[in-house]
Short mmCIF file of all heavy atoms in Angstrom, two decimals:
data_model
loop_
_atom_site.label_atom_id
_atom_site.label_comp_id
_atom_site.label_asym_id
_atom_site.label_seq_id
_atom_site.Cartn_x
_atom_site.Cartn_y
_atom_site.Cartn_z
N VAL N 67 -2.48 -0.81 35.49
CA VAL N 67 -2.37 -1.74 34.40
C VAL N 67 -2.58 -1.08 33.06
O VAL N 67 -1.85 -1.33 32.12
CB VAL N 67 -3.37 -2.95 34.59
CG1 VAL N 67 -3.47 -3.77 33.34
CG2 VAL N 67 -2.97 -3.75 35.83
N ILE N 68 -3.54 -0.20 32.97
CA ILE N 68 -3.85 0.50 31.72
C ILE N 68 -2.70 1.45 31.36
O ILE N 68 -2.33 1.56 30.18
CB ILE N 68 -5.11 1.25 31.83
CG1 ILE N 68 -6.33 0.28 31.90
CG2 ILE N 68 -5.38 2.21 30.62
CD1 ILE N 68 -7.66 0.91 32.18
N ALA N 69 -2.09 2.05 32.32
CA ALA N 69 -1.05 3.06 32.09
C ALA N 69 0.32 2.45 31.84
O ALA N 69 1.26 3.13 31.50
CB ALA N 69 -0.98 4.03 33.22
N SER N 70 0.49 1.15 32.07
CA SER N 70 1.81 0.59 31.98
C SER N 70 2.23 0.45 30.52
O SER N 70 1.38 0.33 29.60
CB SER N 70 1.84 -0.80 32.61
OG SER N 70 0.95 -1.68 31.90
N ALA N 71 3.53 0.50 30.31
CA ALA N 71 4.08 0.47 29.00
C ALA N 71 4.16 -1.03 28.46
O ALA N 71 4.37 -1.92 29.32
CB ALA N 71 5.50 1.04 29.00
N ILE N 72 4.08 -1.14 27.21
CA ILE N 72 4.37 -2.46 26.55
C ILE N 72 5.88 -2.58 26.29
O ILE N 72 6.44 -1.68 25.75
CB ILE N 72 3.58 -2.55 25.24
CG1 ILE N 72 2.07 -2.56 25.59
CG2 ILE N 72 3.98 -3.81 24.51
CD1 ILE N 72 1.19 -2.54 24.34
N VAL N 73 6.47 -3.63 26.80
CA VAL N 73 7.93 -3.78 26.70
C VAL N 73 8.24 -4.65 25.53
O VAL N 73 7.68 -5.70 25.32
CB VAL N 73 8.49 -4.37 28.02
CG1 VAL N 73 10.01 -4.59 27.89
CG2 VAL N 73 8.15 -3.51 29.19
N ILE N 74 9.20 -4.20 24.67
CA ILE N 74 9.65 -4.89 23.48
C ILE N 74 11.18 -5.10 23.62
O ILE N 74 11.87 -4.09 23.86
CB ILE N 74 9.32 -4.11 22.22
CG1 ILE N 74 7.82 -3.84 22.09
CG2 ILE N 74 9.83 -4.88 20.97
CD1 ILE N 74 7.44 -2.90 21.04
N TYR N 75 11.64 -6.29 23.45
CA TYR N 75 13.06 -6.61 23.52
C TYR N 75 13.56 -6.92 22.09
O TYR N 75 12.91 -7.63 21.33
CB TYR N 75 13.33 -7.81 24.38
CG TYR N 75 13.07 -7.59 25.84
CD1 TYR N 75 11.83 -7.90 26.43
CD2 TYR N 75 14.01 -6.95 26.64
CE1 TYR N 75 11.56 -7.66 27.73
CE2 TYR N 75 13.75 -6.73 27.99
CZ TYR N 75 12.52 -7.09 28.52
OH TYR N 75 12.26 -6.82 29.83
N ILE N 76 14.69 -6.28 21.71
CA ILE N 76 15.29 -6.53 20.38
C ILE N 76 16.74 -6.92 20.61
O ILE N 76 17.38 -6.57 21.63
CB ILE N 76 15.22 -5.31 19.48
CG1 ILE N 76 15.95 -4.10 20.07
CG2 ILE N 76 13.78 -4.93 19.19
CD1 ILE N 76 16.17 -3.01 19.05
N ASN N 77 17.30 -7.62 19.67
CA ASN N 77 18.72 -7.96 19.65
C ASN N 77 19.47 -6.83 18.89
O ASN N 77 19.06 -6.46 17.80
CB ASN N 77 18.98 -9.28 19.00
CG ASN N 77 18.45 -10.43 19.81
OD1 ASN N 77 18.47 -10.38 21.00
ND2 ASN N 77 17.95 -11.46 19.15
N GLY N 78 20.51 -6.35 19.43
CA GLY N 78 21.32 -5.37 18.79
C GLY N 78 21.05 -3.96 19.18
O GLY N 78 20.41 -3.66 20.22
N ARG N 79 21.42 -3.03 18.27
CA ARG N 79 21.32 -1.63 18.55
C ARG N 79 19.94 -1.09 18.28
O ARG N 79 19.28 -1.51 17.32
CB ARG N 79 22.33 -0.85 17.67
CG ARG N 79 22.27 0.62 17.80
CD ARG N 79 23.30 1.33 17.04
NE ARG N 79 24.54 1.22 17.84
CZ ARG N 79 25.63 1.81 17.52
NH1 ARG N 79 25.72 2.47 16.47
NH2 ARG N 79 26.66 1.65 18.34
N ILE N 80 19.49 -0.24 19.15
CA ILE N 80 18.19 0.47 18.95
C ILE N 80 18.45 1.67 18.01
O ILE N 80 19.14 2.60 18.41
CB ILE N 80 17.57 0.96 20.25
CG1 ILE N 80 17.32 -0.22 21.21
CG2 ILE N 80 16.24 1.64 19.98
CD1 ILE N 80 16.94 0.19 22.63
N ASN N 81 17.94 1.61 16.82
CA ASN N 81 18.05 2.72 15.84
C ASN N 81 16.68 2.97 15.15
O ASN N 81 15.76 2.25 15.52
CB ASN N 81 19.16 2.44 14.85
CG ASN N 81 19.02 1.11 14.12
OD1 ASN N 81 17.92 0.63 14.00
ND2 ASN N 81 20.10 0.51 13.68
N ARG N 82 16.60 3.83 14.23
CA ARG N 82 15.35 4.08 13.60
C ARG N 82 14.76 2.91 12.91
O ARG N 82 13.56 2.58 12.97
CB ARG N 82 15.49 5.26 12.55
CG ARG N 82 15.62 6.58 13.19
CD ARG N 82 15.94 7.69 12.19
NE ARG N 82 16.34 8.92 12.86
CZ ARG N 82 17.54 9.15 13.38
NH1 ARG N 82 18.50 8.22 13.27
NH2 ARG N 82 17.78 10.29 14.00
N SER N 83 15.63 2.06 12.29
CA SER N 83 15.16 0.89 11.63
C SER N 83 14.58 -0.15 12.55
O SER N 83 13.51 -0.75 12.32
CB SER N 83 16.26 0.29 10.79
OG SER N 83 15.95 -0.94 10.18
N SER N 84 15.23 -0.36 13.64
CA SER N 84 14.79 -1.38 14.60
C SER N 84 13.49 -0.87 15.32
O SER N 84 12.60 -1.67 15.66
CB SER N 84 15.86 -1.72 15.69
OG SER N 84 16.21 -0.59 16.42
N ILE N 85 13.43 0.44 15.53
CA ILE N 85 12.21 0.99 16.13
C ILE N 85 11.04 0.81 15.19
O ILE N 85 9.91 0.40 15.58
CB ILE N 85 12.39 2.50 16.50
CG1 ILE N 85 13.34 2.64 17.66
CG2 ILE N 85 11.04 3.16 16.80
CD1 ILE N 85 13.70 4.07 17.98
N LYS N 86 11.21 1.07 13.88
CA LYS N 86 10.16 0.90 12.89
C LYS N 86 9.69 -0.54 12.85
O LYS N 86 8.50 -0.84 12.80
CB LYS N 86 10.67 1.36 11.49
CG LYS N 86 10.75 2.78 11.34
CD LYS N 86 11.19 3.19 9.95
CE LYS N 86 11.34 4.67 9.78
NZ LYS N 86 11.70 5.08 8.44
N SER N 87 10.62 -1.46 12.91
CA SER N 87 10.29 -2.92 12.88
C SER N 87 9.49 -3.30 14.10
O SER N 87 8.49 -4.03 14.02
CB SER N 87 11.52 -3.78 12.77
OG SER N 87 12.21 -3.56 11.57
N ALA N 88 9.91 -2.81 15.25
CA ALA N 88 9.23 -3.12 16.54
C ALA N 88 7.82 -2.50 16.53
O ALA N 88 6.86 -3.18 16.92
CB ALA N 88 10.00 -2.57 17.72
N LEU N 89 7.68 -1.30 16.04
CA LEU N 89 6.39 -0.65 16.02
C LEU N 89 5.43 -1.33 14.99
O LEU N 89 4.24 -1.53 15.23
CB LEU N 89 6.47 0.82 15.68
CG LEU N 89 7.16 1.70 16.73
CD1 LEU N 89 7.34 3.10 16.22
CD2 LEU N 89 6.39 1.68 18.04
N GLU N 90 6.01 -1.72 13.84
CA GLU N 90 5.23 -2.44 12.84
C GLU N 90 4.71 -3.73 13.38
O GLU N 90 3.57 -4.12 13.12
CB GLU N 90 6.12 -2.70 11.60
CG GLU N 90 5.32 -3.21 10.45
CD GLU N 90 6.25 -3.29 9.20
OE1 GLU N 90 7.40 -3.53 9.34
OE2 GLU N 90 5.66 -3.15 8.11
N SER N 91 5.43 -4.44 14.23
CA SER N 91 4.95 -5.70 14.74
C SER N 91 3.78 -5.51 15.75
O SER N 91 3.07 -6.44 15.99
CB SER N 91 6.12 -6.48 15.50
OG SER N 91 6.44 -5.81 16.70
N LYS N 92 3.66 -4.29 16.29
CA LYS N 92 2.54 -3.98 17.24
C LYS N 92 1.47 -3.18 16.50
O LYS N 92 0.56 -2.65 17.12
CB LYS N 92 3.10 -3.15 18.36
CG LYS N 92 4.12 -3.86 19.20
CD LYS N 92 3.52 -5.11 19.84
CE LYS N 92 4.52 -5.80 20.71
NZ LYS N 92 4.00 -6.99 21.32
N ASN N 93 1.49 -3.11 15.14
CA ASN N 93 0.49 -2.35 14.35
C ASN N 93 0.43 -0.89 14.72
O ASN N 93 -0.70 -0.31 14.76
CB ASN N 93 -0.83 -3.05 14.39
CG ASN N 93 -0.79 -4.39 13.79
OD1 ASN N 93 -0.14 -4.60 12.77
ND2 ASN N 93 -1.50 -5.35 14.39
N VAL N 94 1.56 -0.27 15.01
CA VAL N 94 1.58 1.17 15.34
C VAL N 94 2.05 1.94 14.09
O VAL N 94 3.00 1.53 13.42
CB VAL N 94 2.57 1.40 16.55
CG1 VAL N 94 2.67 2.91 16.81
CG2 VAL N 94 2.11 0.70 17.78
N LYS N 95 1.33 3.01 13.77
CA LYS N 95 1.69 3.75 12.54
C LYS N 95 2.71 4.83 12.77
O LYS N 95 3.46 5.16 11.88
CB LYS N 95 0.44 4.38 11.97
CG LYS N 95 -0.60 3.34 11.47
CD LYS N 95 -1.83 3.99 10.96
CE LYS N 95 -2.81 2.95 10.49
NZ LYS N 95 -4.10 3.53 10.08
N GLY N 96 2.83 5.33 14.02
CA GLY N 96 3.78 6.36 14.32
C GLY N 96 3.88 6.54 15.81
O GLY N 96 2.92 6.33 16.56
N ALA N 97 5.07 6.96 16.25
CA ALA N 97 5.28 7.21 17.64
C ALA N 97 6.28 8.31 17.87
O ALA N 97 7.14 8.53 16.98
CB ALA N 97 5.76 5.90 18.35
N ILE N 98 6.28 8.93 19.02
CA ILE N 98 7.22 9.94 19.37
C ILE N 98 8.18 9.42 20.46
O ILE N 98 7.71 8.68 21.34
CB ILE N 98 6.52 11.22 19.80
CG1 ILE N 98 7.49 12.39 20.06
CG2 ILE N 98 5.72 11.00 21.09
CD1 ILE N 98 6.87 13.73 20.18
N ILE N 99 9.45 9.69 20.34
CA ILE N 99 10.41 9.25 21.34
C ILE N 99 10.27 10.19 22.58
O ILE N 99 10.43 11.37 22.50
CB ILE N 99 11.83 9.37 20.82
CG1 ILE N 99 12.00 8.42 19.64
CG2 ILE N 99 12.86 9.01 21.93
CD1 ILE N 99 13.39 8.50 18.99
N LYS N 100 9.87 9.59 23.70
CA LYS N 100 9.61 10.33 24.91
C LYS N 100 10.88 10.37 25.81
O LYS N 100 11.09 11.38 26.49
CB LYS N 100 8.45 9.70 25.73
CG LYS N 100 7.16 9.72 25.00
CD LYS N 100 6.70 11.10 24.64
CE LYS N 100 5.95 11.70 25.84
NZ LYS N 100 5.39 13.01 25.52
N GLN N 101 11.67 9.28 25.83
CA GLN N 101 12.81 9.22 26.69
C GLN N 101 13.85 8.26 26.12
O GLN N 101 13.51 7.25 25.59
CB GLN N 101 12.41 8.75 28.07
CG GLN N 101 13.47 8.78 29.14
CD GLN N 101 12.99 8.30 30.45
OE1 GLN N 101 11.82 7.90 30.62
NE2 GLN N 101 13.84 8.35 31.46
N ILE N 102 15.11 8.62 26.29
CA ILE N 102 16.19 7.77 25.88
C ILE N 102 17.11 7.59 27.09
O ILE N 102 17.58 8.52 27.65
CB ILE N 102 17.01 8.44 24.73
CG1 ILE N 102 16.14 8.63 23.48
CG2 ILE N 102 18.21 7.54 24.36
CD1 ILE N 102 16.78 9.45 22.40
N ASP N 103 17.26 6.31 27.44
CA ASP N 103 18.15 6.00 28.62
C ASP N 103 19.26 5.16 28.06
O ASP N 103 19.20 3.94 27.91
CB ASP N 103 17.34 5.20 29.66
CG ASP N 103 18.14 4.91 30.92
OD1 ASP N 103 19.39 5.08 30.89
OD2 ASP N 103 17.55 4.47 31.90
#
């Protein structure tokens, strides 16, 4: 449970802007892209 990822769903394309908005909503200041599927 602790190691599980928090899942965020967005409408449209995942780009830098949408990532920033999603992270901002979770009060995250910065993140590294670990995987792209």
Side-chain angles (χ1 to χ4, degrees):
V67 169
I68 291 172
S70 64
I72 295 174
V73 179
I74 302 169
Y75 292 95
I76 62 167
N77 291 325
R79 176 175 282 187
I80 302 171
N81 54 27
R82 285 174 191 80
S83 176
S84 63
I85 291 173
K86 286 181 182 183
S87 296
L89 293 176
E90 188 174 31
S91 72
K92 299 296 182 184
N93 295 321
V94 176
K95 295 180 182 174
I98 187 167
I99 298 175
K100 299 299 275 184
Q101 183 178 6
I102 299 171
D103 185 347

